[in-house]
Amino acid sequence: DAGVTQSPTHLIKTRGQHVTLRCSPISGHKSVSWYQQVLGQGPQFIFQYYEKEERGRGNFPDRFSARQFPNYSSELNVNALLLGDSALYLCASSLAPRDNYGYTFGSGTRLTVV
Amino acid sequence: AQKVTQAQTEISVVEKEDVTLDCVYETRDTTYYLFWYKQPPSGELVFLIRRNSFDEQNEISGRYSWNFQKSTSSFNFTITASQVVDSAVYFCALRGAGAGSYQLTFGKGTKLSVIP
């Protein structure tokens, strides 16, 4: 079975631009979460989606948005990019929003804003 | 608010040594879940263990063991007879069990280097 797949793996954008990151969860998983990991720090929660509805949102500005599609894949959108948005963006999938058996993470998208 | 502290930023050990990674957490929830993840250079977070707050039994899995002490709010991770393949960044994480508790709160991680 394929794990959590994220695309692209690397991305370079200019300040002020917009970016879309994509995530496909493990087959059968209906919940997707997004995390931002700045270099040298632990991942920080951005969003969680379940059955196409937002179930949780972290402390991130409105420039960050996401959505989940009927096939449970998800997109994370970031508008008006800042240098501080440079980070590894991780997607995690789980059976349900509070799956107590852990979340399976993808390898991430490394975003560099110049 | 929830908080996870991993005071050790980096640890270096020689292969075959034992090493313990510390994790201290803060939460107001009476029921919560603790996790350890491993992050190799490839970037993905690899799930290692989950522990419920109401189960203080220590766990051993091969060379890995975890010591959960509710009285000191600690959930430490020990690797016995370390190997070069254990080199990675290790994260401790916490999630509440109350309504709306969907997110994992991570510590800053401990970078472990195992020297051959």
Side-chain angles (χ1 to χ4, degrees), chain A residues 17-69:
Chain A
Q17 284 188 318
H18 162 91
V19 68
T20 297
L21 311 181
R22 294 177 176 83
C23 172
S24 293
I26 288 174
S27 178
H29 283 194
K30 298 182 178 180
S31 182
V32 169
S33 300
W34 287 95
Y35 286 80
Q36 181 196 64
Q37 186 179 13
V38 173
L39 192 63
Q41 301 292 318
Q44 287 213 310
F45 174 73
I46 310 175
F47 286 110
Q48 186 182 70
Y49 275 78
Y50 177 66
E51 294 282 11
K52 296 176 288 179
E53 290 190 5
E54 182 183 302
R55 290 301 187 96
R57 182 185 185 112
N59 189 22
F60 280 80
D62 291 343
R63 299 185 296 108
F64 288 77
S65 63
R67 57 180 176 168
Q68 188 177 33
F69 299 99

Side-chain angles (χ1 to χ4, degrees), chain A residues 11 18 24 41 46 56 61 75 90 104-105 109:
Chain A
L11 202 53
H18 162 91
S24 293
Q41 301 292 318
I46 310 175
E75 283 184 354
L90 293 163
T104 304
F105 284 82
T109 294

Side-chain angles (χ1 to χ4, degrees), chain A residues 33 35 37 40-43 45 48 55-58 88 90 97-103 105-107, chain B residues 33 35 37 39 42-45 47 50 91 95-104 106-109:
Chain A
S33 300
Y35 286 80
Q37 186 179 13
Q41 301 292 318
F45 174 73
Q48 186 182 70
R55 290 301 187 96
R57 182 185 185 112
L88 178 67
L90 293 163
R98 290 187 282 173
D99 186 345
N100 294 330
Y101 292 94
Y103 304 82
F105 284 82
S107 297
Chain B
Y33 300 90
F35 302 81
Y37 283 88
Q39 188 175 44
S42 60
E44 69 183 285
L45 288 167
F47 170 76
R50 171 197 61 111
F91 290 96
R95 201 201 78 209
S101 297
Y102 302 113
Q103 65 189 77
L104 291 171
F106 286 86
K108 292 186 177 181

Side-chain angles (χ1 to χ4, degrees), chain B residues 22 26 33 45 52 55 96 108 112:
Chain B
D22 297 333
E26 296 175 30
Y33 300 90
L45 288 167
N52 304 328
D55 179 5
K108 292 186 177 181
L112 174 65

